[in-house]
Amino acid sequence: MNGTIDTAIHYYENYSPVGDVVVLGTCLVLLVLMKFAYNIKSKNYRILQWMIGCLMVAGMSNLTYHILLNTRDTVPVFWIYFFRELQHIGYFLNMFLYVIYTKEPLQLEERTRKIVTSMAGSGFLVVIGYDILGTIFKFGYHIDEAKNIHEAWGLIFGCGYVYFVGLLGFLVIYYRGRVVRQIVYGVIGTFVICFSIMILQGINGQSSFTTASFMFPVITLLYMIHSNPYNIEIGTVNISAFEEMIRFSHNKKQARMLMALFMPEFEGTGKHYPKKVQEIIRQFNQVYFKGSVLFQVSNGRMILVADMAKNPHIEESMHLMLDQFYEEYKRFQYDYKIVFMRTSAALSEKQDYLRMIRYMESKMEMNSFKMVEEKDYEEFAKRNYVLSQLEDIKKTSNLNDPRVVVYCQPVLNIATGKYDTAEALMRLILPGTGMVFPDVFIPLAEEHNLIHVLSEIILFKTCVRIKKLMGQGFNVQRISVNFTVSELKDPKFCDDIKRIITDVDIPKDKIAIEITESQNDSEFRIVKDRINELREDGIKFYLDDFGTGYSNFERIMELPFDIIKFDRSLVIACGSDEKSEKMVTHLARMFSAMDYSVLYEGIETDQDEEKCIRMSAKYLQGYKYSKPIPMDDLNKYFEKSAS
């Protein structure tokens, strides 16, 4: 018994308050930084605040406990017991919360989360319960009538500490593939240091830095997971912080105003705003709005977010800011676009603000600003719905997808006076929306790399329809399908085309591929290779939209096209200008002399037809003959082969 008393006295005599004072000061500094620095305020951020609170309680209790212990002859022992136990509850509640914290970043499954919570909770209850019962029944820590200290806490404290460190270490190491490597190393390294401190304390009969060893892991979490330090020069934080603020505001139902500045001169160039511009933007943030945060989205784009509750006159502030911006623009002359918008529940739930901002910018003139209106939100919602459907079409990759519908436009063969070819046209029919036309979804599909699966579906359905028409005895010379140059650049393009045609089992010469002219040297070489490979199997190629832009005749002549499609704009030009008609006529005759067939698009009247026939037309296409029709109606135009 005397050995236990001597050991306890040795620990208490060696105690220095410096460790706990430093911990309390550090915790206060952390709370100040968390208040005024920008941090990711997730659910775990609140747990982190509770952990710091536990450490402050533990540190203050430890100081108070040792003060009371030195005057134990004159104070009731209850208060000594109380503050000692409060200290230990603070320690192990901190460890319990640390385990709870790790469930989110480690992405634990629901069942595993329950098991881990139970293990941590059981460890906390066993350690604290044993300590309380030991004091009550005198087999643990207690002070006898002679005011001697009896300590049996070291073993259960050490076991509890090892238990929690072991549990945390196991979770971090076992699930290390679910978080970035730097965080794993940071957490493990911190616990190694803390564990070493505890061992060294035990060897030297010390307990002064126990609270500090519990604090270091908390600092690790704050620095490595929640810290989003400001860019000192301009006062911005990064895009992940923006997304977290939106999530936090949405959960708290806080309305905010977003002000997005885009300067294309700096976008994607690696260049940063000049110092003078940085000063102006920083001033906007500090002068015109209370509690606002400035986010750096990319080199050329920033978003200022202001709490509308803290800024009741926010629109007036916006106009004042714009007035100053215009004055500064006269000096710097950097092109810009500015978008103002209020937060909305729909955009917050999907974190779609950046996409919405870019959508608005795409509709704006340079050096202008736009306040987003209700109709803009509605248009964007429709656009997003179409995009989500396109993404789902790609995800399912079902060649029979009913949402992708083939229309077609019959083409008149001048030599025979009959319809034996057609152009396949893409349409979407979406649930709740109905028909969606190409000018809406094609740009979206190309922008988000979703176009090829649509083209494959159209090709497949076209092949199926050709096979059916041929089986019914109709004369089908070929049907053309549109592809983009970007699709041809895919190394698997030729294999995809051949596979679909082969699987449907139709002759490959029944399919033609329409593409527009490439403006890029590397694309030109790839396109040429793809055309040559597929033409060897009998697939024909159309050059689409000739006459709509710059045309490189040298490239056109080098590419083995079969048919050149003259755009409607050339037909219109010929109707009003004799000189234009002569030029188009000479071009058409030149192509014909070089074994290219000429197809005129956009024929609407008898005059158009007569004129194009004079200008060496081989094929005619347009509303005069038929508007785009469902492919199932092609049998109304095609004729059956003679028996």
Side-chain angles (χ1 to χ4, degrees):
M1 179 67 70
N2 286 336
T4 303
I5 295 173
D6 291 341
T7 301
I9 292 173
H10 178 65
Y11 272 99
Y12 301 132
E13 288 179 346
N14 284 345
Y15 170 79
S16 169
V18 172
D20 286 310
V21 170
V22 169
V23 168
L24 288 170
T26 304
C27 287
L28 288 172
V29 170
L30 289 177
L31 291 175
V32 170
L33 293 176
M34 293 169 77
K35 172 67 175 176
F36 296 107
Y38 191 84
N39 297 283
I40 298 177
K41 295 178 176 62
S42 61
K43 177 183 176 182
N44 270 4
Y45 184 76
R46 303 303 175 199
I47 296 177
L48 194 65
Q49 290 177 316
W50 277 99
M51 291 166 69
I52 293 173
C54 289
L55 290 173
M56 294 185 71
V57 169
M60 185 62 71
S61 299
N62 200 21
L63 282 171
T64 307
Y65 164 68
H66 281 91
I67 292 171
L68 295 176
L69 198 63
N70 290 329
T71 58
R72 60 185 179 277
D73 292 336
T74 59
V75 298
V77 294
F78 168 80
W79 291 111
I80 297 175
Y81 292 154
F82 174 80
F83 283 105
R84 178 183 175 278
E85 199 58 49
L86 194 60
Q87 169 200 359
H88 294 155
I89 290 173
Y91 287 153
F92 285 97
L93 184 57
N94 172 271
M95 296 296 279
F96 169 79
L97 291 172
Y98 208 112
V99 174
I100 299 304
Y101 182 101
T102 60
K103 295 190 297 183
E104 193 66 35
L106 294 179
Q107 306 170 50
L108 301 184
E109 296 78 8
E110 188 61 33
R111 181 173 178 273
T112 307
R113 289 183 179 217
K114 291 179 180 178
I115 294 173
V116 169
T117 302
S118 298
M119 293 177 67
S122 300
F124 173 79
L125 292 175
V126 168
V127 172
I128 299 303
Y130 181 92
D131 192 34
I132 293 173
L133 292 174
T135 299
I136 294 173
F137 295 105
K138 310 298 183 183
F139 64 81
Y141 175 90
H142 64 280
I143 300 173
D144 61 23
E145 293 180 358
K147 301 300 180 180
N148 292 316
I149 305 167
H150 298 264
E151 175 69 276
W153 166 248
L155 180 61
I156 188 65
F157 182 91
C159 289
Y161 188 79
V162 170
Y163 174 80
F164 275 102
V165 171
L167 178 59
L168 285 164
F170 170 78
L171 290 173
V172 171
I173 294 172
Y174 188 80
Y175 294 103
R176 63 187 180 277
R178 300 184 180 184
V179 292
V180 296
R181 183 172 52 188
Q182 291 87 340
I183 291 179
V184 173
Y185 290 163
V187 171
I188 293 175
T190 303
F191 272 110
V192 169
I193 292 170
C194 295
F195 201 70
S196 301
I197 291 173
M198 296 295 284
I199 293 174
L200 290 172
Q201 279 198 140
I203 293 173
N204 292 282
Q206 264 281 354
S207 63
S208 303
F209 299 100
T210 300
T211 312
S213 72
F214 282 86
M215 179 186 67
F216 295 148
V218 174
I219 296 175
T220 300
L221 292 182
L222 178 63
Y223 183 81
M224 299 200 74
I225 297 179
H226 293 276
S227 179
N228 274 285
Y230 287 102
N231 177 312
I232 295 174
E233 292 182 339
I234 195 168
T236 60
V237 289
N238 63 25
I239 184 61
S240 62
F242 170 73
E243 293 171 350
E244 190 56 47
M245 170 179 268
I246 293 299
R247 187 179 296 110
F248 180 81
S249 302
H250 177 61
N251 292 338
K252 297 293 184 180
K253 301 188 184 318
Q254 296 174 343
R256 297 185 185 266
M257 178 68 76
L258 276 61
M259 291 152 273
L261 169 65
F262 177 56
M263 290 186 169
E265 182 169 340
F266 303 98
E267 186 72 1
T269 62
K271 296 191 298 182
H272 296 280
Y273 292 175
K275 295 288 185 183
K276 292 290 185 182
V277 177
Q278 291 181 4
E279 290 174 7
I280 295 165
I281 294 173
R282 184 169 61 248
Q283 183 184 13
F284 288 165
N285 186 23
Q286 295 172 349
V287 173
Y288 293 108
F289 306 99
K290 295 179 182 177
S292 60
V293 182
L294 188 61
F295 297 91
Q296 181 88 51
V297 177
S298 62
N299 280 3
R301 181 177 278 106
M302 292 184 181
I303 301 178
L304 180 66
V305 181
D307 189 332
M308 296 183 70
K310 295 179 180 178
N311 296 272
H313 306 293
I314 194 166
E315 293 194 8
E316 180 181 340
S317 299
M318 285 161 48
H319 286 297
L320 290 172
M321 182 186 72
L322 277 176
D323 289 342
Q324 184 179 348
F325 184 88
Y326 292 148
E327 289 301 314
E328 300 296 343
Y329 172 72
K330 294 175 184 177
R331 284 198 295 149
F332 297 113
Q333 294 292 311
Y334 292 119
D335 288 336
Y336 67 88
K337 292 182 181 181
I338 300 175
V339 175
F340 297 99
M341 62 185 301
R342 292 179 174 84
T343 51
S344 78
L347 291 178
S348 295
E349 288 172 0
K350 297 180 180 180
Q351 288 286 359
D352 260 347
Y353 286 100
L354 288 180
R355 193 180 282 180
M356 175 70 177
I357 289 167
R358 291 190 179 101
Y359 169 67
M360 295 306 302
E361 289 170 352
S362 69
K363 303 197 304 179
M364 294 169 57
E365 297 290 334
M366 195 61 72
N367 303 321
S368 64
F369 76 93
K370 167 69 176 176
M371 182 70 194
V372 179
E373 302 172 359
E374 190 61 37
K375 64 180 180 63
D376 297 313
Y377 289 107
E378 293 172 0
E379 289 174 4
F380 180 73
K382 292 176 182 176
R383 180 181 184 272
N384 251 16
Y385 173 68
V386 173
L387 179 58
S388 69
Q389 290 290 307
L390 291 173
E391 290 171 338
D392 187 64
I393 289 169
K394 181 175 182 178
K395 180 181 178 181
T396 56
S397 293
N398 174 16
L399 293 179
N400 274 309
D401 198 310
R403 292 169 290 185
V404 184
V405 179
V406 186
Y407 270 56
C408 64
Q409 195 169 28
V411 175
L412 179 66
N413 186 331
I414 299 298
T416 63
K418 296 178 180 179
Y419 301 98
D420 51 17
T421 66
E423 178 185 2
L425 302 169
M426 194 183 302
R427 300 287 188 269
L428 292 184
I429 297 181
L430 302 180
T433 299
M435 180 75 75
V436 182
F437 290 95
D439 61 327
V440 175
F441 69 84
I442 292 291
L444 268 178
E446 291 181 344
E447 178 185 349
H448 295 276
N449 195 30
L450 303 168
I451 190 66
H452 187 54
V453 68
L454 300 179
S455 300
E456 286 187 311
I457 294 171
I458 293 298
L459 175 61
F460 173 77
K461 292 188 174 184
T462 298
C463 291
V464 169
R465 188 58 188 167
I466 289 173
K467 185 172 185 178
K468 184 175 181 180
L469 287 168
M470 291 174 64
Q472 294 172 342
F474 286 97
N475 177 29
V476 182
Q477 186 176 351
R478 64 181 168 273
I479 296 179
S480 63
V481 179
N482 287 274
F483 288 89
T484 65
V485 170
S486 63
E487 292 178 81
L488 269 72
K489 290 166 61 178
D490 190 327
K492 299 184 296 182
F493 177 78
C494 292
D495 292 337
D496 291 342
I497 301 302
K498 293 179 199 177
R499 171 178 48 79
I500 291 173
I501 299 174
T502 301
D503 287 349
V504 179
D505 191 24
I506 63 169
K508 291 187 175 67
D509 63 1
K510 299 300 178 184
I511 289 293
I513 292 177
E514 295 195 22
I515 60 172
T516 54
E517 183 186 356
S518 170
Q519 305 293 333
N520 182 285
D521 285 335
S522 61
E523 287 180 351
F524 170 75
R525 290 190 292 272
I526 294 171
V527 168
K528 183 179 179 181
D529 291 341
R530 301 287 188 265
I531 292 176
N532 283 326
E533 180 177 344
L534 290 175
R535 285 187 88 248
E536 289 178 2
D537 288 309
I539 296 173
K540 294 191 179 297
F541 277 82
Y542 291 23
L543 174 62
D544 197 13
D545 296 333
F546 177 77
T548 57
Y550 171 79
S551 293
N552 187 320
F553 283 97
E554 183 180 354
R555 286 182 178 174
I556 293 174
M557 297 305 176
E558 193 173 340
L559 291 174
F561 288 113
D562 298 283
I563 293 177
I564 309 294
K565 295 185 72 172
F566 280 35
D567 187 73
R568 162 103 181 130
S569 60
L570 294 180
V571 179
I572 295 173
C574 294
S576 58
D577 184 356
E578 184 178 345
K579 187 176 180 180
S580 296
E581 182 175 345
K582 287 181 180 179
M583 184 179 295
V584 172
T585 301
H586 285 304
L587 285 172
R589 287 175 180 172
M590 178 187 68
F591 283 127
S592 297
M594 300 182 67
D595 294 328
Y596 293 96
S597 296
V598 175
L599 186 158
Y600 286 93
E601 296 182 284
I603 308 304
E604 296 184 357
T605 65
D606 291 338
Q607 290 77 13
D608 289 342
E609 179 183 75
E610 293 167 2
K611 184 193 324 168
C612 291
I613 291 174
R614 290 199 307 270
M615 295 189 298
S616 301
K618 294 289 181 68
Y619 299 97
L620 298 176
Q621 178 181 347
Y623 279 21
K624 171 175 168 46
Y625 312 109
S626 173
K627 293 182 179 181
I629 58 173
M631 184 163 269
D632 288 346
D633 293 341
L634 257 185
N635 54 5
K636 297 177 181 178
Y637 289 84
F638 283 11
E639 295 185 2
K640 291 191 175 183
S641 304
S643 301

